[in-house]
Amino acid sequence: MSVREVEETALDWVWAHRDRFALGDDALAADGQVNRTWKPLGELAQVCASVSARTPPSDPVHTRVSDLLDFAWQQTRRGELFLLMQSLEPFATYPLEVYAAFASAGHRHTGYEASAAVVARTRGWRLIEQYPTRRLGVIEAERRSGLNPHGRVPQALGRTWLGGLPEPWTFERAAGYALTHVVFHLTEWGRTAQGVPPDLADYLRHWLPPWLDTCVEARMWDLSCELLAVAASLPRPPDPAVLDDAWQRVAAAQHASGAIPEEGAVQDAAGSADGAGSADGAGSADGADPYAFTDCYHSTLMAAFAAALTTARPRDVDHAGQGVPG
């Protein structure tokens, strides 16, 4: 299966399950679970916005992700819910982070931006306790939403794990997810490879291949797809042979429905893991949907995202007048 086929099949699954990204009444509840409501919707919006930006308008994939983005925007009542969330949780950053994904694709709500700008000028907003990678993301969300960033990217970057150019053997799961999101923030989610400073680009080009190999071997499909997206976001991607092998492994992990598990053994058509039977009963009898939504939606989105960035690289080279690589 080609990288393009992985992308198309993943998006087919997302389209078929788009109602699972819809916001319910609990999205506005004081005790609502943000990770099950706003987080999936925001991730859908961000991936679709990025894939749309990196795909020609004539491509059917562009139409598919544009329709999904419109669906996601409608879930926010065309931005009205962000204004409501601003009044309910004025110092929560996740509404702005989700809104920024829409704003980057041209979906804007002037009332929310005006309200958010007022809060963003307070000392309370600037002093919110955050992990360094999250702070970098908020700074970028402010910029993409038309607000004055409350900090500078170089200073925020310097406090992250990746920004310190750590010993490569200290890489582990948490560091992996932190570094991928640092690169996503620096490159506007794959739109500009030049956003990665030269020292970080060289560091990643050298060490990303063994990290990727480790994650693939451990069957950490979600993180593997994020690392493949990072590879496609660098000014000079790592050795294509290394990436091709990882893509073959990801393709092999993709179910016929298009779903890719976050990690672990791949379910067969009967819903069993490597033929041994499903431990959590997530598989279906007909094999149409072998994983629980929460166990595969993010990795499936990341596969589509990484594939879109990977297939866009030859077009970038061609537009630069260097010809399309074979």
Side-chain angles (χ1 to χ4, degrees):
M1 181 182 290
S2 68
V3 174
R4 169 70 183 211
E5 289 172 322
V6 171
E7 177 186 13
E8 292 176 340
T9 309
L11 288 174
D12 285 344
W13 183 91
V14 174
W15 178 260
H17 294 76
R18 61 192 181 280
D19 288 344
R20 297 297 303 274
F21 293 91
L23 292 177
D25 294 338
D26 56 341
L28 300 178
D31 57 349
Q33 298 184 35
V34 174
N35 286 342
R36 292 182 177 273
T37 56
W38 287 96
K39 184 173 182 287
L41 185 74
E43 289 163 342
L44 173 67
Q46 183 58 74
V47 167
C48 289
S50 297
V51 174
S52 174
R54 304 294 284 123
T55 309
S58 59
D59 192 324
V61 165
H62 187 279
T63 301
R64 171 58 58 87
V65 296
S66 295
D67 289 344
L68 283 168
L69 187 60
D70 288 341
F71 164 81
W73 183 238
Q74 292 298 330
Q75 292 301 309
T76 71
R77 300 179 195 170
R78 303 187 64 81
E80 284 295 319
L81 289 189
F82 291 109
L83 190 59
L84 180 57
M85 291 301 296
Q86 182 75 45
S87 63
L88 295 175
E89 295 186 77
F91 292 97
T93 61
Y94 71 86
L96 180 66
E97 293 170 90
V98 174
Y99 177 79
F102 290 108
S104 69
H107 294 291
R108 309 190 78 106
H109 189 285
T110 55
Y112 170 69
E113 291 183 12
S115 178
V118 172
V119 174
R121 288 195 293 268
T122 65
R123 292 189 298 275
W125 177 267
R126 295 195 304 271
L127 298 173
I128 293 173
E129 299 285 351
Q130 294 169 322
Y131 286 111
T133 302
R134 184 73 178 274
R135 184 167 293 278
L136 178 64
V138 172
I139 290 172
E140 283 300 294
E142 290 170 332
R143 183 187 59 78
R144 291 193 293 166
S145 301
L147 309 183
N148 291 322
H150 74 280
R152 297 182 60 194
V153 169
Q155 283 70 25
L157 174 61
R159 297 187 59 210
T160 65
W161 184 85
L162 178 61
L165 301 179
E167 298 84 355
W169 50 265
T170 62
F171 174 90
E172 39 77 42
R173 183 194 300 267
Y177 280 110
L179 84 85
T180 59
H181 282 72
V182 165
V183 175
F184 296 159
H185 298 320
L186 293 177
T187 62
E188 296 183 42
W189 288 82
R191 299 186 189 196
T192 170
Q194 302 310 314
V196 182
D199 59 337
L200 290 190
D202 291 341
Y203 177 83
L204 287 169
R205 191 171 187 276
H206 188 74
W207 291 112
L208 189 143
W211 293 340
L212 176 60
D213 185 61
T214 297
C215 292
V216 169
E217 285 297 319
R219 297 187 295 193
M220 298 168 64
W221 308 116
D222 187 61
L223 184 51
S224 295
C225 288
E226 290 203 8
L227 291 173
L228 283 168
V230 168
S233 301
L234 298 177
R236 292 178 58 216
D239 185 352
V242 175
L243 304 182
D244 289 345
D245 178 70
W247 272 116
Q248 290 175 18
R249 297 286 296 275
V250 169
Q254 187 173 37
H255 187 264
S257 65
I260 296 176
E262 285 202 359
E263 60 181 56
V266 178
Q267 305 288 346
D268 64 18
S272 62
D274 291 342
S278 176
D280 59 4
S284 60
D286 60 6
D289 207 4
Y291 307 106
F293 178 78
T294 54
D295 293 337
C296 69
Y297 86 86
H298 188 265
S299 41
T300 304
L301 281 174
M302 286 298 103
F305 174 49
L309 299 186
T310 300
T311 55
R313 290 306 294 244
R315 292 194 298 271
D316 294 341
V317 175
D318 187 43
H319 293 165
Q322 301 174 33
V324 178

PDB file of all heavy atoms in Angstrom, residues 49 68 89 91 149 187 191 246 251:
ATOM      1  N   ALA A  49      -7.393  21.162   8.529  1.00  0.00           N
ATOM      2  CA  ALA A  49      -6.874  22.462   8.088  1.00  0.00           C
ATOM      3  C   ALA A  49      -5.497  22.301   7.456  1.00  0.00           C
ATOM      4  O   ALA A  49      -5.196  22.903   6.419  1.00  0.00           O
ATOM      5  CB  ALA A  49      -6.810  23.426   9.266  1.00  0.00           C
ATOM      6  N   LEU A  68     -14.999  17.976   5.987  1.00  0.00           N
ATOM      7  CA  LEU A  68     -14.850  17.611   7.398  1.00  0.00           C
ATOM      8  C   LEU A  68     -14.603  18.844   8.259  1.00  0.00           C
ATOM      9  O   LEU A  68     -15.115  18.944   9.386  1.00  0.00           O
ATOM     10  CB  LEU A  68     -13.694  16.616   7.559  1.00  0.00           C
ATOM     11  CG  LEU A  68     -13.980  15.169   7.153  1.00  0.00           C
ATOM     12  CD1 LEU A  68     -12.679  14.367   7.082  1.00  0.00           C
ATOM     13  CD2 LEU A  68     -14.946  14.515   8.148  1.00  0.00           C
ATOM     14  N   GLU A  89     -15.049  29.680  31.233  1.00  0.00           N
ATOM     15  CA  GLU A  89     -13.680  29.390  31.678  1.00  0.00           C
ATOM     16  C   GLU A  89     -12.722  30.407  31.063  1.00  0.00           C
ATOM     17  O   GLU A  89     -12.003  30.098  30.123  1.00  0.00           O
ATOM     18  CB  GLU A  89     -13.260  27.980  31.260  1.00  0.00           C
ATOM     19  CG  GLU A  89     -14.041  26.851  31.891  1.00  0.00           C
ATOM     20  CD  GLU A  89     -13.447  25.507  31.524  1.00  0.00           C
ATOM     21  OE1 GLU A  89     -12.406  25.123  32.093  1.00  0.00           O
ATOM     22  OE2 GLU A  89     -14.008  24.839  30.633  1.00  0.00           O
ATOM     23  N   PHE A  91      -9.880  31.631  31.756  1.00  0.00           N
ATOM     24  CA  PHE A  91      -8.438  31.416  31.743  1.00  0.00           C
ATOM     25  C   PHE A  91      -8.051  30.013  31.263  1.00  0.00           C
ATOM     26  O   PHE A  91      -6.901  29.618  31.388  1.00  0.00           O
ATOM     27  CB  PHE A  91      -7.843  31.701  33.118  1.00  0.00           C
ATOM     28  CG  PHE A  91      -7.914  33.159  33.478  1.00  0.00           C
ATOM     29  CD1 PHE A  91      -8.944  33.645  34.272  1.00  0.00           C
ATOM     30  CD2 PHE A  91      -6.981  34.048  32.973  1.00  0.00           C
ATOM     31  CE1 PHE A  91      -9.032  34.996  34.567  1.00  0.00           C
ATOM     32  CE2 PHE A  91      -7.060  35.402  33.265  1.00  0.00           C
ATOM     33  CZ  PHE A  91      -8.091  35.879  34.065  1.00  0.00           C
ATOM     34  N   PRO A 149       0.896  37.718  20.880  1.00  0.00           N
ATOM     35  CA  PRO A 149       1.468  36.632  21.692  1.00  0.00           C
ATOM     36  C   PRO A 149       2.017  37.158  23.005  1.00  0.00           C
ATOM     37  O   PRO A 149       2.624  38.225  23.059  1.00  0.00           O
ATOM     38  CB  PRO A 149       2.582  36.075  20.794  1.00  0.00           C
ATOM     39  CG  PRO A 149       2.159  36.435  19.405  1.00  0.00           C
ATOM     40  CD  PRO A 149       1.500  37.783  19.532  1.00  0.00           C
ATOM     41  N   THR A 187       6.407  24.811  12.767  1.00  0.00           N
ATOM     42  CA  THR A 187       6.170  24.741  11.323  1.00  0.00           C
ATOM     43  C   THR A 187       4.730  25.059  10.942  1.00  0.00           C
ATOM     44  O   THR A 187       4.328  24.830   9.806  1.00  0.00           O
ATOM     45  CB  THR A 187       6.522  23.340  10.780  1.00  0.00           C
ATOM     46  OG1 THR A 187       5.651  22.371  11.405  1.00  0.00           O
ATOM     47  CG2 THR A 187       7.953  22.975  11.059  1.00  0.00           C
ATOM     48  N   ARG A 191       3.228  23.481   7.587  1.00  0.00           N
ATOM     49  CA  ARG A 191       3.069  24.410   6.464  1.00  0.00           C
ATOM     50  C   ARG A 191       4.372  25.087   6.063  1.00  0.00           C
ATOM     51  O   ARG A 191       4.507  25.520   4.918  1.00  0.00           O
ATOM     52  CB  ARG A 191       2.025  25.477   6.816  1.00  0.00           C
ATOM     53  CG  ARG A 191       0.650  24.903   7.097  1.00  0.00           C
ATOM     54  CD  ARG A 191      -0.382  25.995   7.287  1.00  0.00           C
ATOM     55  NE  ARG A 191      -1.636  25.437   7.770  1.00  0.00           N
ATOM     56  CZ  ARG A 191      -2.797  26.065   7.738  1.00  0.00           C
ATOM     57  NH1 ARG A 191      -2.864  27.291   7.244  1.00  0.00           N
ATOM     58  NH2 ARG A 191      -3.886  25.503   8.203  1.00  0.00           N
ATOM     59  N   ALA A 246       9.278   2.505   7.597  1.00  0.00           N
ATOM     60  CA  ALA A 246       8.289   2.839   8.621  1.00  0.00           C
ATOM     61  C   ALA A 246       6.893   2.925   8.013  1.00  0.00           C
ATOM     62  O   ALA A 246       5.912   2.454   8.609  1.00  0.00           O
ATOM     63  CB  ALA A 246       8.661   4.158   9.295  1.00  0.00           C
ATOM     64  N   ALA A 251       1.395   0.968   7.173  1.00  0.00           N
ATOM     65  CA  ALA A 251       0.388   0.468   6.230  1.00  0.00           C
ATOM     66  C   ALA A 251      -0.076  -0.930   6.619  1.00  0.00           C
ATOM     67  O   ALA A 251      -1.265  -1.261   6.514  1.00  0.00           O
ATOM     68  CB  ALA A 251       0.956   0.470   4.812  1.00  0.00           C
TER      69      ALA A 251
END
